Amino acid sequence: MLQVSVLKEQTDRVLAGLAKKHYANAEAEVQAILELDQRRRQLQTQHDQAQAEANKLAQQIGGLMKSGDKAGAEELKARTATLKAHTKTASEELAQVEKTLQDALYRLPNLPHESVPVGRTPEENEVVREVGRRPELGAGALPHWDLIKQLDIIDFELGNKITGAGFPVYKGPGARLQRALINFFLDEALAAGYTEIQPPILINEASGYGTGQLPDKEGQMYHATADDLYLIPTAEVPITNLYRDEVINPERLPIRNTGYTPCFRREAGSWGAHVRGLNRLHQFDKVEIVEIDLPERSYATLERMLGHIEQLLQKLELPYRVLRLCGGDMGFTSALTYDLEVWSAAQGRWLEVSSCSNFETYQANRLKLRYKDQGGKMQLLHTLNGSALALPRIVAALLENNQQPDGSIRLPQVLHRYCGFEQLG
């Protein structure tokens, strides 16, 4: 959530940033927020002044009663009653204005970092680098959805029977490959200095607002309405919310956590060949890395997180590229996002497997996640997260890129000890 002080003091920068994110009606909404804030301040002043006068009169009433001036005391009591009525009215209006202001601030996305490219579509994202050689498959090479059937390691029909489309069942070596990848990603994160967290996979509304899934992505989350809880779309949400309403001692920073969770996304409106097989699921496994750091260090932290994710892809022997997302393709809460994509040889296209983002103070302002600077002043921290990694498209690329003429799938050496086998089929 953007700070009102930033909207007020840096209005031109705010409007330019919202324009880069192609946010409609930015000028009108920012002006409305500033007017609401001015009204909030007026009401707060009226409330405080009336309350102070009522307190002063209460002291005077006591003195008049002691001196026997009952008439004077009654006159002041009448004045006090009027002030209390005004205070109550101002308090009720203040609460309504504060809620309206909060809701308006929730609707504004984060401002993009100055390095974010101008653009509206994924085609306008900046390719930072491409690493690795794209494999050339021979005649008869199959896409992963056909390989899966041939190897009998993932069953979409059974998942559809039990739950519905987008909830596959992993079987035998397929299930072991899932577990191997999760353990590999977690072990690599631990070796890099992250602390493992096993969080709940259901969150309350406050947590959804804290990291910005609400109200922006309400329709994309599964909602358990009886208990008003949401299934998490990513481990970022519960892990970041561990620090909601906290003042962090700078000596604890950076805070570096990792966690494996299943993730749940409704993906409403998604269809077509690009979502076939493992390309897009409603439930999938992912290991997340989450960091909290000082503002002056957060972009160096982002680069370090990006490097960690890249070395995972290198160890998996997957060709990949790093993209800096343009303003129109960025997430609602992000200030700067790198996407990492792996090459899918049989499909002949890039598949996104990770997003690594700096949210600057946007989430921290919602979370009230702060620290005291050297002068003792309370400041907002920066929050960051990255997928390290999401499994479905990693599995798709491993199957497609490593298929052999005899129909088997060669697995990268780093997974052999985790799987207990060196190939599938």
Side-chain angles (χ1 to χ4, degrees):
M1 184 169 66
L2 298 176
Q3 296 168 271
V4 175
S5 60
V6 173
L7 271 65
K8 184 183 301 182
E9 298 164 11
Q10 304 177 46
T11 307
D12 290 344
R13 172 178 167 259
V14 169
L15 293 176
L18 294 176
K20 187 181 267 192
K21 277 201 168 181
H22 301 278
Y23 185 78
N25 302 318
E27 189 169 355
E29 291 195 26
V30 169
Q31 183 59 38
I33 287 171
L34 294 178
E35 290 172 1
L36 281 167
D37 181 60
Q38 185 177 9
R39 180 58 180 158
R40 180 189 66 81
R41 291 172 182 273
Q42 291 171 346
L43 288 167
Q44 187 69 62
T45 299
Q46 292 172 15
H47 176 276
D48 293 347
Q49 288 175 343
Q51 187 69 55
E53 187 176 350
N55 292 339
K56 184 179 179 180
L57 289 177
Q59 293 175 352
Q60 293 175 3
I61 289 168
L64 291 171
M65 292 295 288
K66 285 181 181 180
S67 67
D69 186 359
K70 291 185 179 180
E74 290 302 322
E75 184 179 342
L76 292 186
K77 283 182 180 179
R79 172 62 180 156
T80 301
T82 301
L83 285 170
K84 286 184 177 179
H86 287 165
T87 301
K88 183 175 184 295
T89 301
S91 181
E92 290 172 351
E93 187 178 351
L94 178 61
Q96 182 58 52
V97 168
E98 285 178 338
K99 184 181 185 307
T100 305
L101 175 61
Q102 186 89 331
D103 290 344
L105 285 168
Y106 279 145
R107 289 195 296 270
L108 288 182
N110 199 1
L111 302 179
H113 186 262
E114 60 185 10
S115 67
V116 169
V118 174
R120 187 183 291 271
T121 66
E123 289 70 33
E124 295 168 277
N125 293 333
E126 175 191 346
V127 178
V128 178
R129 56 184 163 272
E130 183 176 332
V131 179
R133 184 183 60 83
R134 303 185 198 180
E136 297 180 5
L137 301 180
L142 300 173
H144 72 270
W145 49 83
D146 288 335
L147 292 169
I148 282 166
K149 286 185 178 181
Q150 185 174 287
L151 296 165
D152 192 26
I153 55 174
I154 303 174
D155 198 315
F156 287 93
E157 287 74 20
L158 278 178
N160 192 41
K161 172 184 176 181
I162 297 166
T163 308
F167 294 89
V169 173
Y170 299 85
K171 301 158 55 178
R176 291 181 68 182
L177 178 59
Q178 289 286 112
R179 182 156 49 89
L181 285 165
I182 292 166
N183 287 335
F184 166 59
F185 294 152
L186 284 173
D187 284 352
E188 289 293 307
L190 295 179
Y194 291 92
T195 298
E196 185 174 354
I197 302 290
Q198 189 174 47
I201 60 173
L202 284 162
I203 57 163
N204 55 29
E205 187 177 72
S207 295
Y209 274 95
T211 44
Q213 279 66 39
L214 295 176
D216 178 54
K217 292 183 173 60
E218 188 167 11
Q220 290 295 330
M221 291 196 293
Y222 287 97
H223 189 192
T225 54
D227 299 295
D228 197 22
L229 297 174
Y230 294 85
L231 285 165
I232 62 168
T234 167
E236 165 209 342
V237 182
I239 292 177
T240 308
N241 270 280
L242 294 174
Y243 305 95
R244 191 170 74 235
D245 298 319
E246 282 201 23
V247 177
I248 305 294
N249 187 328
E251 293 180 0
R252 292 177 59 192
L253 300 170
I255 292 173
R256 310 179 67 209
N257 289 325
T258 186
Y260 152 71
T261 64
C263 302
F264 303 88
R265 300 183 186 180
R266 293 186 62 241
E267 299 287 6
S270 297
W271 65 85
H274 66 288
V275 302
R276 192 171 179 184
L278 295 170
N279 288 344
R280 185 162 297 174
L281 301 174
H282 293 308
Q283 177 182 332
F284 60 94
D285 293 318
K286 180 156 67 81
V287 172
E288 195 80 358
I289 52 174
V290 176
E291 299 215 23
I292 298 168
D293 210 345
L294 295 168
E296 60 266 28
R297 294 199 308 230
S298 70
Y299 278 95
T301 297
L302 180 65
E303 294 299 323
R304 174 169 46 75
M305 294 171 73
L306 178 62
H308 172 76
I309 299 166
E310 287 191 68
Q311 62 89 22
L312 294 177
L313 296 173
Q314 291 164 13
K315 289 182 177 182
L316 289 173
E317 303 168 26
L318 290 172
Y320 67 91
R321 67 179 184 176
V322 179
L323 305 176
R324 184 184 283 111
L325 299 192
C326 69
D329 197 36
M330 289 175 64
F332 185 85
T333 55
S334 174
L336 176 61
T337 294
Y338 291 112
D339 268 7
L340 292 97
E341 299 178 333
V342 295
W343 179 251
S344 168
Q347 297 178 68
R349 65 190 188 94
W350 294 100
L351 303 176
E352 179 198 334
V353 293
S354 175
S355 283
C356 190
S357 301
N358 188 346
F359 305 102
E360 295 188 358
T361 61
Y362 191 87
Q363 290 182 333
N365 193 26
R366 290 174 173 233
L367 295 160
K368 294 183 173 60
L369 173 55
R370 298 161 294 170
Y371 73 103
K372 286 184 180 179
D373 64 20
Q374 292 182 343
K377 186 178 179 181
M378 207 71 80
Q379 304 284 1
L380 292 170
L381 287 162
H382 281 195
T383 62
L384 308 94
N385 85 283
S387 308
L389 286 157
L391 271 67
R393 294 169 188 165
I394 290 290
V395 171
L398 287 174
L399 295 176
E400 293 183 5
N401 295 1
N402 297 318
Q403 55 187 301
Q404 305 299 306
D406 64 359
S408 65
I409 309 294
R410 177 188 62 82
L411 293 176
Q413 186 173 356
V414 74
L415 292 181
H416 293 175
R417 67 184 182 91
Y418 287 98
C419 290
F421 48 80
E422 299 180 4
Q423 66 177 39
L424 293 164

